[in-house]
Amino acid sequence: MAPDSDNDWRPTASFATLKLRAQLIARVREFFAKRDVLEVDTPILSQAGATDPHLHSLAARSLAPGDDRLRGFLHTSPEFAMKRLLAAGSGSIYQICKVFRGGESGRRHNPEFTMIEWYRVGFDHHRLMDEVAALVTEALTGFRALDEVEKLSYRDAFLRHARIDPHRASAAEFRACAQTRGVTASGLAPDDLDGWRDLLLTHFVEPHLGVNRLTFLYDYPAAAAALARLRADNPAIAERFELYIDGVELANGFHELADAPEQYRRFEADKNARAQLDLPPVPRDERLLAALAHGLPDCSGVALGFDRLVMLAAGAASIDEVIAFPSARA
Amino acid sequence: MATYSTNEFRAGLKVMLDGDPASIVENEFVKPGKGQAFNRVKIRNLKTGRVIERTFKSGDTIEAADVVDVEMQYLYNDGQFWHFMQPENYEQVQADSTAVGDNAKWLKEQDTCIVTLWNGSPLAVEPPHTVLLTIVETDPGVRGDTSGGGGKPAKLETGAVVRVPLFVQQGERIKVNTRTGEYISRA
C-alpha cells in the first residue's frame, strides 16, 4: 500500500525523538513525585464503554474456544476507574497510559495514543490550570521557550476570533457565520447547534489559540460540559477547560461532576444521542455511578495528550514522528 | 453505488464532488477535545484542475468516482479528437482538447501515454516523461559551439518549440523532458 512498503517494519520516529520521549516521561514522573501525587494504573480493557456519542470505543473479544463472548472495550480514557479510586479514598492520583479511539487518525491523531491523566483533590479547575501550566512549562524547558500563560473564556475567544456569542447564537447564526467565512460542512444537520459551534471552534477559533504560549480556554457552554460540573451561580456554564499551544489542543480538564443523579442523566442523554445517530449502544459504567453515590471528593481532573507534548518538544509536524509504530505499522 | 466514509479518506482517493470527478489531495482530521470531529479536505476537481477546500462531518460518506489511469497508445489526431488505443484489447477512446490540453504538443503516434478515464471517457492525458522528436525547423548553428550555453529555438514535429544547443541541426532527433519542456540530448 504505502510507497515504502518494503521498509514499513521500521519505526517512523527517530531514535533521538524516542530518547526525548523517554526523557519527558521521566520529567512528568518527577513532577508528580515532588508533589506527592500517587501513580496508579487501571484496566485498559473494561466492561463499560465510552458513552459520549463523539467517542468511539474499540471493542475486544476473546478468541479462546468456548469463550467467544464480547469481553469489553479498550478504554478511551482512564477517567471512570480513576474516579472510583478517588471515591475509595486514594487522594490525588495520576496515570500515564495508552488509550484508544476509533476513527481518529490524522496528522495529530493516532487511534492508540498516550495520555497523562491526573486528579487533584481539593483543587478547582482554575487551580488545576495553574498546575497544568507548571507541568507543561517544566516538560518543555530547554526545548521550547514560551510566552506568558494566557487564560481566555470560551465566550471571549469566540467574540475575538469569530465575532459571535457562543452562548446565545442559534444554529442558523453559527451556520451563517461559517458560510460568510467560506465554510460549509457536508453531513452536518442544519439544526445541529453543538455541531456548528464545534465547526466554528475547530476552523476559526482554535487556529488562533496559544500562539507560542499556553492558552487556556475555560467556561464552556453547558451543552459541552462532558463530565464537568456546572457553575453554581450560572448553570449555563460548565467548569471545563482546554489547553492550546500553537492552535493545537493539548489538554482537557474539568472541575469534576460529583453528583450521581446528574451523572446518570448525562449517561441517559448520551444513550439517546447515540440512538439518534445510529451508533451502537455501549454499556454505561454502573460502578462509576455507585462510586459517585458513595461520594467523590471535591476534585478537578485533566487529561493531557503526551504524544502532542513530545511533538512540541521535538518540533514535529506529525504524530508519526514521535511514536515508534503508528497504527498503519502497528 | 460505491461510497467512501471520511475514515477512508486519503490522498489520491477518487470521489464525486458536486457532480464532477475529483481527487483528494490532503485530508486533515480536526476535533475539539470533546465534541464533533471534522475532516478538512483539499480536493482537486479533475475536470478543471482546481483545488478547493471542503469540510465534512466525520463519518459522513461521499460517492466514489469511477476514475482509472490506463496505459494507452496514441494513434492519431483527426482534427478534432485525439484517438488512443488500449494495446491488450484494441479498445479505442477519443479525447477532446479539454482532456489533452497543453500536452497535445508532446503526443507522437505510437507513444504510450497514461489516459485517465472517468466512466470510460478520457479526463486527462499524460505523455511519457521523455519523448523522441524530430526537429523540423531551426536556424543553422554556429560551427564549433558545443557548450550548450545560450542555445536557439527549435520547432519539433509535434509543434512543440524547445531550446536546443547551437550545434543541434534541423532533421535531427532529440530527447525532450515533457514535464519541463527541456532538451535532454540528441537521440
Side-chain angles (χ1 to χ4, degrees), chain A residues 54-133:
Chain A
H54 299 300
L55 285 177
H56 307 294
S57 299
L58 299 185
R61 84 173 55 240
S62 164
L63 299 182
D67 186 26
D68 58 352
R69 295 161 296 146
L70 177 67
R71 293 301 301 274
F73 303 90
L74 301 180
H75 66 176
T76 57
S77 104
E79 179 152 9
F80 295 169
M82 290 181 81
K83 282 182 176 166
R84 283 161 56 192
L85 285 174
L86 288 156
S90 65
S92 295
I93 48 177
Y94 81 100
Q95 171 158 208
I96 302 171
C97 60
K98 291 294 184 80
V99 297
F100 302 83
R101 296 182 179 184
E104 298 195 8
S105 215
R107 208 153 55 82
R108 299 190 191 102
H109 293 83
N110 191 59
E112 173 179 346
F113 63 100
T114 301
M115 187 175 264
I116 304 171
E117 180 145 336
W118 77 99
Y119 291 85
R120 290 297 242 142
V121 175
F123 278 35
D124 68 6
H125 56 304
H126 283 283
R127 202 170 153 203
L128 185 59
M129 277 186 244
D130 295 340
E131 189 167 83
V132 173

Side-chain angles (χ1 to χ4, degrees), chain A residues 28 32 37 39 47 54 76 87 101 111 133 140 218 228 233 249 255-256 264 274 296 312:
Chain A
V28 169
F32 288 119
V37 179
E39 180 165 12
Q47 292 165 31
H54 299 300
T76 57
R101 296 182 179 184
L140 293 179
Y218 66 95
D233 61 333
E249 185 236 349
H255 192 183
E256 299 293 347
Y264 177 80
R274 293 186 75 85
L296 182 75
L312 285 167

Side-chain angles (χ1 to χ4, degrees), chain A residues 213-278:
Chain A
R213 63 167 52 174
L214 308 185
T215 296
F216 287 95
L217 207 59
Y218 66 95
D219 279 357
Y220 277 63
L227 300 176
R229 64 171 70 184
L230 303 181
R231 230 163 71 180
D233 61 333
N234 183 356
I237 305 267
E239 292 187 335
R240 172 183 165 194
F241 68 86
E242 294 227 10
L243 168 62
Y244 290 86
I245 304 179
D246 297 343
V248 179
E249 185 236 349
L250 191 64
N252 176 60
F254 305 131
H255 192 183
E256 299 293 347
L257 179 66
D259 178 346
E262 171 63 15
Q263 180 67 61
Y264 177 80
R265 281 193 291 276
R266 291 192 197 178
F267 275 153
E268 286 295 299
D270 281 353
K271 190 168 98 182
N272 294 335
R274 293 186 75 85
Q276 248 180 358
L277 292 164
D278 267 337

